[in-house]
Amino acid sequence: MTLLGETATTGGRKGGEGEVLAIRGGRALRGTVEVLGAKNLVTKAMVAALLGESPSVLRDVPDISDVAVVRSLLEVHGVRVEEAGERGALLLDPRDVESAHMEEIDAHAGASRIPILFCGPLLHRLGQAFIPDLGGCRIGDRPIDFHLDALRKFGAVVEKLPSGIRLSAPRGLHGANIHLPYPSVGATEQVLLTAVRAEGTTELRNAAIEPEIMDLIAVLQKMGAIISYEPNRVVLIEGVPRLEGYDHRAIFDRNEAASWASAAIATDGEIFVAGAQQQEMLTFLNVLRKTGAGFEIREDGILFRRGGDLRGVTVETDVHPGFMTDWQQPLIVALTQAQGRSVVHETVYENRFGFTQALVQMGADITVYPHGLQEGPRRVPRRSLEQAAVITGPTSLRGADITVPDLRGGYSHVIAALTAEGESTVRNIGIIRRGYADFLDKLSALGADFDVVG
Ligand code: EPU
């Protein structure tokens, strides 16, 4: 395995995204897959290494293109990044951090959303930062207003340019009182990565508390930061003048684990997800239990299987500890095989059901309500941007010619093609490498029948 493979040399722009799979479905997936560190922690912990005065070691780093993009951006800023012996371990040495050339940074435009998190660390290290236009999955507007408002409160001056954002901090960065309008994962990380070395104390209200954020707090504490949290999403950060490197094993990828769980259930197979842990997946497991799907929690992972007839369920996506938005796409494929009606309310992003069009093309019965569905008691407060999908099953799926739209939706297309009778052509699968390491090898090991045809 290489952590800087073909995908990385393209700066994450192409990453083999044109690849096409011919999938012959209708086979149960059986076997074991291993999940490594979470994409949504690893990439942030890599950015955190910029804040240290000494090298860091990050363990269980998956071989995905989002990691390659962040690695490459760190390297253009003078951070030395190399494999650190053990499989999946990266050494990040920030001792020679320097300003990067505009063209080098610009080469990363559109590749990922992580660069926005370079703002605070670069301001601390260099007094200025240039952040290219952001990429990431096209699943809604995904604005960065919370990020920029928070940075301004710390004292940053933000200048928007046609190709990105330039920031400076003429009077340094100072602790601030910040209340997020929504518990945004990225904005919470922005505040953490900026506040740890700002002068004075920062009080963050309405913070996101996802397990990956708790793991980032653990990383920052290892570096010397002082961060405490209180009930009701309040986080206090006491700024310190100096941070050192860390040695940290990343939390497992619960999104990847949920994807494999859904693949096992959709194809009526049985997959042991090595490395998956119960605590971080409680909400997902509760929903599986309501569908009647089977799971077995073991010390070193979780075994997932369909385990009999599936029942329809109602799911509302939400911030942690709610049902994660990234879990709904693979689960919907499994729900096409459930008896009766399922409803999925998407409350986090305003455009995350586009992938269902392909499932309908394959024979699924799914209706999307673009302005949400006003029915039944709700746990998650209704949001103006929400949508709902109603899935009626079971339906048999048949092979089709489909194109992957984004990371999670794309993986769902692959699962649907594996569930369907007949052959499917699945295009643009390179995008899946943004978040799923070695996924073709894993599919082969589980007995999937496919060829790479382009
Ligand atoms: N939002 C704003 N303004 C902002 C920031 C966010 O309005 O400045 C809104 C967004 O538009 C969205 C909501 O707040 O409606 C939540 O966005 P959040 O900031 O929490 O998401 P994110 O940090 O951009 C991360 C993950 C996503 C995951 C979400 C929610 C990373 C790199 N991405 O995104 O993961 O869905 O949190 O948990 O950590 C994925 O892995 O496929 C993925 C999309």
Side-chain angles (χ1 to χ4, degrees):
M1 182 181 92
T2 163
L3 288 169
L4 187 59
E6 184 201 326
T7 48
T9 51
T10 64
R13 267 199 164 164
K14 299 196 187 86
E17 276 177 30
E19 280 175 39
V20 182
L21 289 188
I23 298 179
R24 290 165 291 281
R27 272 194 187 195
L29 297 187
R30 289 183 197 285
T32 294
V33 291
E34 186 190 8
V35 291
L36 290 181
K39 163 177 95 66
N40 293 347
L41 173 275
V42 164
T43 45
K44 327 301 173 61
M46 290 172 73
V47 178
L50 257 179
L51 288 162
E53 304 293 335
S54 48
S56 292
V57 177
L58 184 59
R59 302 178 191 277
D60 278 356
V61 177
D63 184 13
I64 54 176
S65 57
D66 266 18
V67 163
V69 171
V70 178
R71 174 178 184 160
S72 176
L73 253 183
L74 286 169
E75 284 172 337
V76 301
H77 284 96
V79 179
R80 194 165 57 84
V81 185
E82 57 191 49
E83 279 71 20
E86 150 190 326
R87 183 180 75 118
L90 277 189
L91 175 90
L92 304 126
D93 185 348
R95 282 175 294 188
D96 296 322
V97 168
E98 59 188 17
S99 291
H101 295 292
M102 195 75 121
E103 318 79 69
E104 287 177 317
I105 303 175
D106 215 30
H108 297 79
S112 155
R113 279 177 70 77
I114 314 295
I116 188 72
L117 296 178
F118 278 65
C119 293
L122 285 179
L123 283 172
H124 283 302
R125 291 303 300 259
L126 302 169
Q128 57 172 348
F130 175 76
I131 308 300
D133 261 351
L134 298 175
C137 288
R138 287 179 208 95
I139 49 178
D141 279 350
R142 307 194 74 186
I144 52 168
D145 50 337
F146 305 164
H147 295 250
L148 299 184
D149 288 349
L151 287 161
R152 287 192 187 101
K153 288 205 163 146
F154 283 111
V157 175
V158 181
E159 195 188 340
K160 290 189 186 166
L161 306 175
S163 54
I165 316 162
R166 198 200 322 264
L167 297 104
S168 56
R171 281 183 283 280
L173 295 171
H174 300 275
N177 283 331
I178 296 165
H179 189 132
L180 294 178
Y182 183 77
S184 150
V185 168
T188 299
E189 292 158 345
Q190 182 76 263
V191 170
L192 289 169
L193 291 166
T194 307
V196 281
R197 272 191 56 183
E199 204 184 315
T201 298
T202 294
E203 184 177 292
L204 173 63
R205 296 191 169 267
N206 210 20
I209 52 166
E210 268 63 8
E212 295 78 17
I213 288 188
M214 293 301 150
D215 209 35
L216 181 63
I217 290 177
V219 167
L220 292 167
Q221 186 181 55
K222 284 178 177 174
M223 298 177 79
I226 304 172
I227 304 172
S228 47
Y229 48 92
E230 297 179 351
N232 298 322
R233 301 186 175 278
V234 178
V235 180
L236 295 173
I237 305 119
E238 295 170 48
V240 294
R242 184 185 166 95
L243 294 169
E244 299 298 336
Y246 62 80
D247 187 332
H248 190 75
R249 188 171 298 282
I251 187 173
F252 79 100
D253 198 312
R254 65 200 172 109
N255 292 339
E256 186 181 355
S259 301
W260 291 117
S262 300
I265 298 163
T267 64
D268 201 4
E270 185 171 284
I271 300 178
F272 178 65
V273 182
Q277 298 286 312
Q278 179 182 14
Q279 275 304 328
E280 291 75 14
M281 299 196 72
L282 280 179
T283 312
F284 182 77
L285 296 173
N286 283 337
V287 169
L288 287 198
R289 182 147 283 156
K290 288 184 199 168
T291 65
F295 58 86
E296 210 177 286
I297 293 153
R298 298 184 185 159
E299 207 175 325
D300 55 345
I302 306 179
L303 178 78
F304 296 95
R305 65 168 82 86
R306 186 179 299 181
D309 287 344
L310 291 179
R311 294 182 293 273
V313 278
T314 295
V315 174
E316 300 164 62
T317 67
D318 196 10
V319 292
H320 190 77
F323 189 93
M324 248 206 126
T325 165
D326 300 282
W327 292 336
Q328 59 94 344
Q329 299 91 332
L331 183 73
I332 282 180
V333 182
L335 293 177
T336 65
Q337 304 308 303
Q339 195 74 44
R341 187 172 182 263
S342 295
V343 183
V344 177
H345 298 277
E346 170 58 52
T347 79
V348 179
Y349 289 115
E350 65 271 44
N351 180 19
R352 225 179 181 184
F353 285 133
F355 77 100
T356 60
Q357 284 168 13
L359 304 193
V360 171
Q361 196 189 331
M362 297 172 91
D365 181 347
I366 304 176
T367 306
V368 173
Y369 294 82
H371 304 295
L373 196 56
Q374 312 280 329
E375 66 163 42
R378 287 281 302 273
R379 196 187 64 81
V380 180
R382 210 173 287 282
R383 293 189 75 204
S384 56
L385 54 64
E386 72 181 39
Q387 326 102 69
V390 174
I391 304 107
T392 309
T395 45
S396 38
L397 303 182
R398 52 181 185 275
D401 188 331
I402 51 183
T403 301
V404 162
D406 61 55
L407 176 61
R408 306 293 166 197
Y411 206 84
S412 305
H413 285 183
V414 173
I415 299 174
L418 290 162
T419 308
E421 288 300 329
E423 183 162 314
S424 293
T425 304
V426 188
R427 302 175 191 278
N428 200 30
I429 58 143
I431 216 168
I432 295 172
R433 292 218 181 81
R434 286 196 42 222
Y436 294 89
D438 310 320
F439 92 104
L440 292 185
D441 292 343
K442 287 178 182 173
L443 285 179
S444 294
L446 293 171
D449 184 8
F450 66 90
D451 293 311
V452 179
V453 292

